[in-house]
Amino acid sequence: MGKDERLVVIRFGRDWDKDCMLMDEVLYDISEKVVNFAAIYLCDIDEVPDFNEMYELYDPMTIMFFYRNKHMMCDFGTGDNNKMNFVVQDRQEMIDIIETIYRAARKGRGLVVSPVQHTRRGD
């Protein structure tokens, strides 16, 4: 499947950040399982600061999803549908999130409800 047909998953952050390291490990572990429908990339926000203002990248670790150059939004129950800014350590849960967003994207939807809801920190 070409890149145009796959979901693009980008982890924005700093390679040395604890949350990024945890999330990178999960993304690396699942990369072979999702290769048929998703491409995973890492972007260091210090080395490539061009997206920081455009995507409002203020958190230590942010994951965003794109399909055919269109930003895919996902409702995780956190109040921010534009991006995921929390670590998911459960590998199957992360696969389910990526697959759910991919399936919705293929149907032309721009907003997806996550298969698992994550409340805001402190709630």
Side-chain angles (χ1 to χ4, degrees), residues 3-25:
K3 285 184 183 177
D4 287 347
E5 297 300 316
R6 291 192 290 172
L7 183 71
V8 175
V9 180
I10 304 176
R11 190 278 292 148
F12 294 98
R14 295 174 177 92
D15 295 339
W16 51 263
D17 180 80
K18 183 183 97 178
D19 284 347
C20 287
M21 286 191 277
L22 289 170
M23 199 68 236
D24 290 354
E25 185 177 322

PDB file of all heavy atoms in Angstrom, residues 3-25:
ATOM      1  N   LYS A   3       2.064   5.260   0.388  1.00  0.00           N
ATOM      2  CA  LYS A   3       1.959   6.195   1.511  1.00  0.00           C
ATOM      3  C   LYS A   3       0.671   6.997   1.457  1.00  0.00           C
ATOM      4  O   LYS A   3       0.154   7.396   2.489  1.00  0.00           O
ATOM      5  CB  LYS A   3       3.166   7.138   1.532  1.00  0.00           C
ATOM      6  CG  LYS A   3       4.419   6.473   2.031  1.00  0.00           C
ATOM      7  CD  LYS A   3       5.557   7.453   2.137  1.00  0.00           C
ATOM      8  CE  LYS A   3       6.809   6.716   2.579  1.00  0.00           C
ATOM      9  NZ  LYS A   3       7.972   7.571   2.629  1.00  0.00           N
ATOM     10  N   ASP A   4       0.145   7.245   0.248  1.00  0.00           N
ATOM     11  CA  ASP A   4      -1.097   7.998   0.137  1.00  0.00           C
ATOM     12  C   ASP A   4      -2.277   7.249   0.739  1.00  0.00           C
ATOM     13  O   ASP A   4      -3.273   7.859   1.104  1.00  0.00           O
ATOM     14  CB  ASP A   4      -1.401   8.306  -1.335  1.00  0.00           C
ATOM     15  CG  ASP A   4      -0.478   9.368  -1.888  1.00  0.00           C
ATOM     16  OD1 ASP A   4       0.211  10.036  -1.100  1.00  0.00           O
ATOM     17  OD2 ASP A   4      -0.445   9.530  -3.121  1.00  0.00           O
ATOM     18  N   GLU A   5      -2.174   5.948   0.812  1.00  0.00           N
ATOM     19  CA  GLU A   5      -3.278   5.133   1.324  1.00  0.00           C
ATOM     20  C   GLU A   5      -3.114   4.768   2.801  1.00  0.00           C
ATOM     21  O   GLU A   5      -3.998   4.151   3.379  1.00  0.00           O
ATOM     22  CB  GLU A   5      -3.417   3.861   0.499  1.00  0.00           C
ATOM     23  CG  GLU A   5      -3.776   4.124  -0.937  1.00  0.00           C
ATOM     24  CD  GLU A   5      -5.099   4.855  -1.102  1.00  0.00           C
ATOM     25  OE1 GLU A   5      -6.077   4.486  -0.417  1.00  0.00           O
ATOM     26  OE2 GLU A   5      -5.163   5.810  -1.901  1.00  0.00           O
ATOM     27  N   ARG A   6      -1.974   5.110   3.374  1.00  0.00           N
ATOM     28  CA  ARG A   6      -1.749   4.779   4.785  1.00  0.00           C
ATOM     29  C   ARG A   6      -1.942   5.998   5.672  1.00  0.00           C
ATOM     30  O   ARG A   6      -1.762   7.130   5.246  1.00  0.00           O
ATOM     31  CB  ARG A   6      -0.337   4.229   4.993  1.00  0.00           C
ATOM     32  CG  ARG A   6      -0.135   2.868   4.378  1.00  0.00           C
ATOM     33  CD  ARG A   6       1.134   2.216   4.828  1.00  0.00           C
ATOM     34  NE  ARG A   6       2.302   2.908   4.247  1.00  0.00           N
ATOM     35  CZ  ARG A   6       3.556   2.648   4.584  1.00  0.00           C
ATOM     36  NH1 ARG A   6       3.830   1.719   5.473  1.00  0.00           N
ATOM     37  NH2 ARG A   6       4.550   3.305   4.027  1.00  0.00           N
ATOM     38  N   LEU A   7      -2.294   5.742   6.912  1.00  0.00           N
ATOM     39  CA  LEU A   7      -2.379   6.784   7.927  1.00  0.00           C
ATOM     40  C   LEU A   7      -0.954   7.165   8.307  1.00  0.00           C
ATOM     41  O   LEU A   7      -0.106   6.293   8.503  1.00  0.00           O
ATOM     42  CB  LEU A   7      -3.123   6.246   9.157  1.00  0.00           C
ATOM     43  CG  LEU A   7      -3.365   7.242  10.287  1.00  0.00           C
ATOM     44  CD1 LEU A   7      -4.409   8.268   9.862  1.00  0.00           C
ATOM     45  CD2 LEU A   7      -3.837   6.498  11.529  1.00  0.00           C
ATOM     46  N   VAL A   8      -0.673   8.441   8.404  1.00  0.00           N
ATOM     47  CA  VAL A   8       0.643   8.912   8.832  1.00  0.00           C
ATOM     48  C   VAL A   8       0.535   9.319  10.297  1.00  0.00           C
ATOM     49  O   VAL A   8      -0.307  10.147  10.664  1.00  0.00           O
ATOM     50  CB  VAL A   8       1.129  10.094   7.963  1.00  0.00           C
ATOM     51  CG1 VAL A   8       2.437  10.659   8.502  1.00  0.00           C
ATOM     52  CG2 VAL A   8       1.299   9.644   6.520  1.00  0.00           C
ATOM     53  N   VAL A   9       1.362   8.697  11.119  1.00  0.00           N
ATOM     54  CA  VAL A   9       1.391   8.955  12.563  1.00  0.00           C
ATOM     55  C   VAL A   9       2.714   9.659  12.859  1.00  0.00           C
ATOM     56  O   VAL A   9       3.781   9.109  12.571  1.00  0.00           O
ATOM     57  CB  VAL A   9       1.311   7.628  13.363  1.00  0.00           C
ATOM     58  CG1 VAL A   9       1.335   7.892  14.857  1.00  0.00           C
ATOM     59  CG2 VAL A   9       0.077   6.833  12.962  1.00  0.00           C
ATOM     60  N   ILE A  10       2.642  10.873  13.404  1.00  0.00           N
ATOM     61  CA  ILE A  10       3.867  11.616  13.710  1.00  0.00           C
ATOM     62  C   ILE A  10       3.929  11.904  15.200  1.00  0.00           C
ATOM     63  O   ILE A  10       2.996  12.482  15.770  1.00  0.00           O
ATOM     64  CB  ILE A  10       3.946  12.942  12.940  1.00  0.00           C
ATOM     65  CG1 ILE A  10       3.825  12.701  11.434  1.00  0.00           C
ATOM     66  CG2 ILE A  10       5.260  13.668  13.269  1.00  0.00           C
ATOM     67  CD1 ILE A  10       3.786  13.968  10.604  1.00  0.00           C
ATOM     68  N   ARG A  11       5.033  11.476  15.810  1.00  0.00           N
ATOM     69  CA  ARG A  11       5.282  11.801  17.216  1.00  0.00           C
ATOM     70  C   ARG A  11       6.191  13.021  17.235  1.00  0.00           C
ATOM     71  O   ARG A  11       7.303  12.995  16.777  1.00  0.00           O
ATOM     72  CB  ARG A  11       5.939  10.624  17.951  1.00  0.00           C
ATOM     73  CG  ARG A  11       6.013  10.804  19.466  1.00  0.00           C
ATOM     74  CD  ARG A  11       7.169  11.651  19.965  1.00  0.00           C
ATOM     75  NE  ARG A  11       8.445  10.989  19.752  1.00  0.00           N
ATOM     76  CZ  ARG A  11       9.579  11.651  19.510  1.00  0.00           C
ATOM     77  NH1 ARG A  11       9.616  12.968  19.427  1.00  0.00           N
ATOM     78  NH2 ARG A  11      10.710  10.978  19.333  1.00  0.00           N
ATOM     79  N   PHE A  12       5.660  14.130  17.741  1.00  0.00           N
ATOM     80  CA  PHE A  12       6.434  15.356  17.909  1.00  0.00           C
ATOM     81  C   PHE A  12       6.936  15.411  19.344  1.00  0.00           C
ATOM     82  O   PHE A  12       6.194  15.080  20.274  1.00  0.00           O
ATOM     83  CB  PHE A  12       5.565  16.597  17.659  1.00  0.00           C
ATOM     84  CG  PHE A  12       5.084  16.730  16.248  1.00  0.00           C
ATOM     85  CD1 PHE A  12       3.811  16.311  15.894  1.00  0.00           C
ATOM     86  CD2 PHE A  12       5.894  17.289  15.278  1.00  0.00           C
ATOM     87  CE1 PHE A  12       3.350  16.452  14.593  1.00  0.00           C
ATOM     88  CE2 PHE A  12       5.445  17.431  13.976  1.00  0.00           C
ATOM     89  CZ  PHE A  12       4.175  17.008  13.621  1.00  0.00           C
ATOM     90  N   GLY A  13       8.167  15.812  19.530  1.00  0.00           N
ATOM     91  CA  GLY A  13       8.715  15.933  20.878  1.00  0.00           C
ATOM     92  C   GLY A  13      10.226  15.967  20.831  1.00  0.00           C
ATOM     93  O   GLY A  13      10.821  16.257  19.789  1.00  0.00           O
ATOM     94  N   ARG A  14      10.826  15.658  21.962  1.00  0.00           N
ATOM     95  CA  ARG A  14      12.291  15.625  22.066  1.00  0.00           C
ATOM     96  C   ARG A  14      12.715  14.197  22.389  1.00  0.00           C
ATOM     97  O   ARG A  14      12.187  13.584  23.313  1.00  0.00           O
ATOM     98  CB  ARG A  14      12.752  16.579  23.160  1.00  0.00           C
ATOM     99  CG  ARG A  14      12.443  18.023  22.839  1.00  0.00           C
ATOM    100  CD  ARG A  14      12.771  18.949  23.999  1.00  0.00           C
ATOM    101  NE  ARG A  14      12.529  20.330  23.617  1.00  0.00           N
ATOM    102  CZ  ARG A  14      11.366  20.955  23.834  1.00  0.00           C
ATOM    103  NH1 ARG A  14      10.369  20.336  24.435  1.00  0.00           N
ATOM    104  NH2 ARG A  14      11.225  22.210  23.448  1.00  0.00           N
ATOM    105  N   ASP A  15      13.697  13.712  21.646  1.00  0.00           N
ATOM    106  CA  ASP A  15      14.116  12.316  21.787  1.00  0.00           C
ATOM    107  C   ASP A  15      14.542  11.956  23.207  1.00  0.00           C
ATOM    108  O   ASP A  15      14.400  10.810  23.620  1.00  0.00           O
ATOM    109  CB  ASP A  15      15.263  12.011  20.825  1.00  0.00           C
ATOM    110  CG  ASP A  15      14.828  12.112  19.376  1.00  0.00           C
ATOM    111  OD1 ASP A  15      13.623  12.018  19.110  1.00  0.00           O
ATOM    112  OD2 ASP A  15      15.701  12.290  18.511  1.00  0.00           O
ATOM    113  N   TRP A  16      15.038  12.921  23.968  1.00  0.00           N
ATOM    114  CA  TRP A  16      15.532  12.652  25.320  1.00  0.00           C
ATOM    115  C   TRP A  16      14.444  12.758  26.394  1.00  0.00           C
ATOM    116  O   TRP A  16      14.657  12.390  27.540  1.00  0.00           O
ATOM    117  CB  TRP A  16      16.682  13.612  25.677  1.00  0.00           C
ATOM    118  CG  TRP A  16      16.343  15.057  25.432  1.00  0.00           C
ATOM    119  CD1 TRP A  16      16.660  15.787  24.318  1.00  0.00           C
ATOM    120  CD2 TRP A  16      15.606  15.941  26.284  1.00  0.00           C
ATOM    121  NE1 TRP A  16      16.178  17.074  24.432  1.00  0.00           N
ATOM    122  CE2 TRP A  16      15.528  17.192  25.633  1.00  0.00           C
ATOM    123  CE3 TRP A  16      15.008  15.803  27.539  1.00  0.00           C
ATOM    124  CZ2 TRP A  16      14.874  18.296  26.189  1.00  0.00           C
ATOM    125  CZ3 TRP A  16      14.360  16.902  28.088  1.00  0.00           C
ATOM    126  CH2 TRP A  16      14.300  18.122  27.423  1.00  0.00           C
ATOM    127  N   ASP A  17      13.256  13.223  26.021  1.00  0.00           N
ATOM    128  CA  ASP A  17      12.170  13.382  26.998  1.00  0.00           C
ATOM    129  C   ASP A  17      11.635  12.015  27.432  1.00  0.00           C
ATOM    130  O   ASP A  17      11.461  11.114  26.606  1.00  0.00           O
ATOM    131  CB  ASP A  17      11.043  14.207  26.366  1.00  0.00           C
ATOM    132  CG  ASP A  17       9.889  14.414  27.321  1.00  0.00           C
ATOM    133  OD1 ASP A  17       9.983  15.301  28.182  1.00  0.00           O
ATOM    134  OD2 ASP A  17       8.902  13.646  27.210  1.00  0.00           O
ATOM    135  N   LYS A  18      11.346  11.878  28.710  1.00  0.00           N
ATOM    136  CA  LYS A  18      10.886  10.598  29.259  1.00  0.00           C
ATOM    137  C   LYS A  18       9.608  10.103  28.576  1.00  0.00           C
ATOM    138  O   LYS A  18       9.516   8.940  28.188  1.00  0.00           O
ATOM    139  CB  LYS A  18      10.664  10.733  30.773  1.00  0.00           C
ATOM    140  CG  LYS A  18      10.254   9.427  31.449  1.00  0.00           C
ATOM    141  CD  LYS A  18       9.967   9.622  32.920  1.00  0.00           C
ATOM    142  CE  LYS A  18       8.491   9.775  33.058  1.00  0.00           C
ATOM    143  NZ  LYS A  18       7.921   9.927  34.349  1.00  0.00           N
ATOM    144  N   ASP A  19       8.614  10.992  28.418  1.00  0.00           N
ATOM    145  CA  ASP A  19       7.368  10.583  27.776  1.00  0.00           C
ATOM    146  C   ASP A  19       7.606  10.166  26.322  1.00  0.00           C
ATOM    147  O   ASP A  19       7.021   9.200  25.845  1.00  0.00           O
ATOM    148  CB  ASP A  19       6.332  11.710  27.822  1.00  0.00           C
ATOM    149  CG  ASP A  19       5.712  11.867  29.202  1.00  0.00           C
ATOM    150  OD1 ASP A  19       5.885  10.965  30.053  1.00  0.00           O
ATOM    151  OD2 ASP A  19       5.051  12.902  29.436  1.00  0.00           O
ATOM    152  N   CYS A  20       8.478  10.889  25.627  1.00  0.00           N
ATOM    153  CA  CYS A  20       8.794  10.530  24.240  1.00  0.00           C
ATOM    154  C   CYS A  20       9.477   9.173  24.167  1.00  0.00           C
ATOM    155  O   CYS A  20       9.155   8.364  23.294  1.00  0.00           O
ATOM    156  CB  CYS A  20       9.691  11.599  23.600  1.00  0.00           C
ATOM    157  SG  CYS A  20       8.816  13.121  23.212  1.00  0.00           S
ATOM    158  N   MET A  21      10.397   8.930  25.082  1.00  0.00           N
ATOM    159  CA  MET A  21      11.088   7.635  25.079  1.00  0.00           C
ATOM    160  C   MET A  21      10.113   6.489  25.313  1.00  0.00           C
ATOM    161  O   MET A  21      10.184   5.453  24.637  1.00  0.00           O
ATOM    162  CB  MET A  21      12.197   7.617  26.127  1.00  0.00           C
ATOM    163  CG  MET A  21      13.403   8.434  25.725  1.00  0.00           C
ATOM    164  SD  MET A  21      14.823   8.175  26.804  1.00  0.00           S
ATOM    165  CE  MET A  21      14.450   9.284  28.135  1.00  0.00           C
ATOM    166  N   LEU A  22       9.166   6.665  26.237  1.00  0.00           N
ATOM    167  CA  LEU A  22       8.168   5.626  26.495  1.00  0.00           C
ATOM    168  C   LEU A  22       7.282   5.403  25.271  1.00  0.00           C
ATOM    169  O   LEU A  22       7.025   4.264  24.865  1.00  0.00           O
ATOM    170  CB  LEU A  22       7.303   6.012  27.697  1.00  0.00           C
ATOM    171  CG  LEU A  22       7.961   5.975  29.068  1.00  0.00           C
ATOM    172  CD1 LEU A  22       7.055   6.620  30.121  1.00  0.00           C
ATOM    173  CD2 LEU A  22       8.303   4.547  29.462  1.00  0.00           C
ATOM    174  N   MET A  23       6.824   6.507  24.668  1.00  0.00           N
ATOM    175  CA  MET A  23       5.947   6.397  23.510  1.00  0.00           C
ATOM    176  C   MET A  23       6.698   5.853  22.305  1.00  0.00           C
ATOM    177  O   MET A  23       6.160   5.041  21.540  1.00  0.00           O
ATOM    178  CB  MET A  23       5.352   7.774  23.195  1.00  0.00           C
ATOM    179  CG  MET A  23       4.121   7.724  22.333  1.00  0.00           C
ATOM    180  SD  MET A  23       2.721   6.992  23.193  1.00  0.00           S
ATOM    181  CE  MET A  23       2.321   5.684  22.061  1.00  0.00           C
ATOM    182  N   ASP A  24       7.960   6.256  22.135  1.00  0.00           N
ATOM    183  CA  ASP A  24       8.761   5.758  21.018  1.00  0.00           C
ATOM    184  C   ASP A  24       8.940   4.247  21.095  1.00  0.00           C
ATOM    185  O   ASP A  24       8.914   3.557  20.072  1.00  0.00           O
ATOM    186  CB  ASP A  24      10.132   6.431  20.984  1.00  0.00           C
ATOM    187  CG  ASP A  24      10.061   7.897  20.578  1.00  0.00           C
ATOM    188  OD1 ASP A  24       8.964   8.376  20.220  1.00  0.00           O
ATOM    189  OD2 ASP A  24      11.115   8.561  20.640  1.00  0.00           O
ATOM    190  N   GLU A  25       9.116   3.739  22.299  1.00  0.00           N
ATOM    191  CA  GLU A  25       9.259   2.292  22.473  1.00  0.00           C
ATOM    192  C   GLU A  25       7.998   1.566  22.036  1.00  0.00           C
ATOM    193  O   GLU A  25       8.054   0.559  21.331  1.00  0.00           O
ATOM    194  CB  GLU A  25       9.584   1.973  23.936  1.00  0.00           C
ATOM    195  CG  GLU A  25       9.873   0.512  24.173  1.00  0.00           C
ATOM    196  CD  GLU A  25      10.255   0.228  25.617  1.00  0.00           C
ATOM    197  OE1 GLU A  25      10.957   1.051  26.230  1.00  0.00           O
ATOM    198  OE2 GLU A  25       9.846  -0.835  26.113  1.00  0.00           O
TER     199      GLU A  25
END
